[in-house]
Amino acid sequence: MNSVIETARCLQEDDCSPATAWLADAELAAAILAPNGEMMEANSALANVAQLLPGFRVGRDIHDFLDAHDRIIFDAQLVAAVAIPGVTRIAQVFLRSNSGSSWHVLIELATNIDGAALPRTVLARFVPTDVHLLRIATETSAERPLDFALIASRTAVWDHDLEREETCYSDIWREIRGLSAEDAVPRSLDELLEQVHPDDKQTVLDGIHEQRQGDASPCVFQYRYRHRQGHWIWIECRGGCVKWDSDNRPLRVVGTDTDITTRKNSEETLERISRRLKLALEVSKIGVFEADFDLGSAEWDAGMFRLYDVEHQSEVKIGGLWESMLHPDDMERVFKKVDHHVANLIPFSDEYRVIFRDGSEHFIRSRTLPFIDNDGHRKMIGANWDVTADLALQRDLAHAKKLAEARNAELESAKKHIEYIALHDPLTGLPNRRYLEEKIISIEADCKATGGGAAVLHFDLDRFKQINDTYGHYVGDVLLQHTAKILKASVRSDEFVARLGGDEFIAIVRFDGSVEPLEAISKNIVDALRKPVNINGIDCRSSTSIGIACEIGRDVDVRSLLINADIALYQAKEHGRNRFDFYSTKSRSRVVTLKQISDEILVGLERDEFFPMYQPQFDAMTLDIVGVEALVRWQHPTRGLLAPSEFLQIADEMNIVGDIDDLIFRKAMADSEIWAKDGVSIPKCSVNVSARRLQDPKLKTLLGIDPETASRFSFELLESIVLDELDAQMEENLAYIRKLGISIEVDDFGTAHASIMSLLHLRPHTLKIDRRLIRSIDRSSEQRELVGSIIGMGHSLGVKATAEGVETTGHATILRDLGCDILQGFGLAKPMFSSNLIEFARNRVSSKVADLSTFRQNHAQPKK
């Protein structure tokens, strides 16, 4: 049989038949192809192929019967055959039909030299692979022109001679496995399997078994083989039996191996991409469609059917299903947009509404790509996804954003308001102490930059507490607001005025080195605040004391000025109030002295220099001892025995009065134990308790007293504590004190104007009438009536009365007649040490003194 090249040359000679004659003479299936692959003519042998591949006939394009991979192989050889006349090109491919049948062939391609009859055509001969393999096995090497085709297509050949138990491998077989001509090749099946991937060994065994069954049809299988460099390659093995014995047993099996690693990798990559795309489409719920405008057809994937909630069997075509679901109000706009972009091949996006079969309205977003396919058809491919929930979320977010913006505006306003509140006094509207801290920084920076000066004026209202206590907090608040207005009006608008708290104010003004402007400002303020202020018909008269400190230069220290102004204020108060004083070193020395006393108080506490002295209290009728009051004294190392007036106010400013109270209470408890052991009966011992101690949350723990001991003690509270509104901590501590059995006494009653309601609320055991009311009781009927009223009021509430400051027999007699229960004063007994109290009590029991004067003569104040 002539080769395709020989036939082509023959057609070129004058005595040769035309190309159609070549088709008739061809033993195998043959055809004349156009350069695009269309079959123009075919012989009868090729017509028989139609039985194997329905539809494979003249007029059809061979490409229609090739898969994507084989189409690439075929096109490469077809183009080469057209471009290089005289060379046969081989394409080993599968021809497949829609019915599922396939035919594995080698297509030999060569240019038709007879250009006159059939110009620009290609002669093609279809060689079945089994025939091809047989020819390889039977022809000599000189007679095997297809060997060149095998080499060109990188196809390896192997030959298993089962009679001689020999196997031959082609050079390509070695090459695709990375073996050189000197490298050993497998000589047995076991050696071959050693290089086969473990997962593919059974596949190889099954394939070899099938190839040796004696069937002429080739067996095809794929497996992984270890390359000489260590990696795995994919081999596609095609083989079959070509020689049998008389019993039809196979004697020789031949075949080809093709390295399909690249194809496998491509398939794996394609499969991986496909999986990813499928997953992405499923997760994102995106549907993909393709529409052909020339044919009026459309294709939807499963995602589109799910997206539009329609049956998968539904027919899809242009002008059909999708258009019927489009919202009427969106149709015209959408159609115009599609027509324009498809006509101009412009990619576009859109958003429109569709109505599902259940009547619900959904928003669809699309991305579309128009194109022209190989047939010249106008098409578009696109993706749709449902954005109904997204748009609803966007609307909700937009609404929430508006609410948030409104809320932020409110918060910003509230923040400014809070900042204003944080920096301003709510009563007067003036800056507060916190604002002052921030202002100090700017004032010092300004002085540093300009070399200017600053003056601090520290104000304190005189008699403010008395006004507040007499007329109530409302009047006091109005007076503070009046003061703030005067201070603000007395300085420049850019100068600073603040309320530090209570009745204290501060002003920081510019200072140019001259004190005259400061004196003028201070005098005007003093004069203005001295004038009466009518509040609810009450003319309130107050005044102010002012301390002034000033400094000029780049190193102005405002905090030091604040301290110095405070010192000057203290000095102004000492000089009579209702005035102003400038800071001086002399006034500072006074503060140093106070600081020294403060330090000595702390040292005195550490050295246990504070102790109680006891002043006896007597029954007004019998003059029997019914109790004592523990009074604190300080045994100063250099100044001797000091009364509370020498140190208690300073201790209060130091916030350690509570510590002193606790110390005296502890020592009184210890002394009471001694009295009991010595057989001295002291029914009750009262100790002073400050307001700060009542506010101590640790008071319960600090008391640590058993009920029996507690019943022998009473706590004296100043009347001013009763007047103040008790806070929750005070209430809690007072309840605990009562629960222990400790009595409550109100000290200095009659000077702070405690109300009956406050007494009812406090429920004291005893009222101690202030000594200033007792002093002139024997000379003033008004005083007697007042004291009698207090005693009567107390008795009506079930409260006993104790009179302090009893100095004379007349005092004692009058108080007894007024119904006073207990007497206390120097006329009866002065404060004494614990040891002297024991002696005093014993003597008191052994001999009753007939009259008060004799009693005083016999019991003078003992000395330590």
Side-chain angles (χ1 to χ4, degrees), residues 666-724:
R666 298 291 169 195
K667 291 189 175 184
M669 282 197 297
D671 288 341
S672 69
E673 295 294 332
I674 296 173
W675 302 336
K677 289 179 182 179
D678 288 348
V680 175
S681 175
I682 304 294
K684 186 75 67 176
C685 177
S686 62
V687 294
N688 290 310
V689 176
S690 64
R692 288 183 179 176
R693 183 158 169 76
L694 279 180
Q695 290 172 327
D696 189 351
K698 299 179 182 178
L699 181 61
K700 294 180 182 180
T701 305
L702 293 175
L703 284 178
I705 183 173
D706 60 88
E708 182 180 353
T709 304
S711 64
R712 301 198 300 266
F713 282 88
S714 65
F715 283 172
E716 290 191 10
L717 282 60
L718 291 176
E719 187 186 10
S720 58
I721 297 178
V722 183
L723 282 171
D724 293 333

Side-chain angles (χ1 to χ4, degrees), residues 158 189 192-193 196-212 219-225 234-238 260 264:
W158 48 267
L189 179 60
L192 177 70
L193 290 175
V196 175
H197 194 284
D199 295 342
D200 299 339
K201 287 183 178 180
Q202 190 60 47
T203 301
V204 173
L205 289 172
D206 294 342
I208 292 175
H209 176 73
E210 187 176 346
Q211 289 173 352
R212 294 180 180 182
C219 170
V220 182
F221 60 91
Q222 298 172 352
Y223 64 95
R224 283 164 288 185
Y225 194 90
W234 277 94
I235 302 294
E236 184 174 76
C237 177
R238 300 175 183 269
I260 59 171
K264 278 288 187 179

Side-chain angles (χ1 to χ4, degrees), residues 461-477 479 535 538-543:
L461 295 182
D462 303 326
R463 297 179 60 250
F464 177 74
K465 187 175 186 307
Q466 290 85 339
I467 293 173
N468 208 29
D469 293 344
T470 303
Y471 301 115
H473 292 292
Y474 173 76
V475 173
D477 290 347
L479 184 59
I535 305 172
I538 301 171
D539 284 337
C540 296
R541 296 180 180 273
S542 180
S543 60

Side-chain angles (χ1 to χ4, degrees), residues 143 151 199 211 474 495 506 511 595-596 636 804:
E143 296 172 337
I151 294 172
D199 295 342
Q211 289 173 352
Y474 173 76
E495 292 178 328
I506 201 85
F511 176 59
K595 177 64 170 60
Q596 182 179 354
H636 194 278
E804 293 185 298

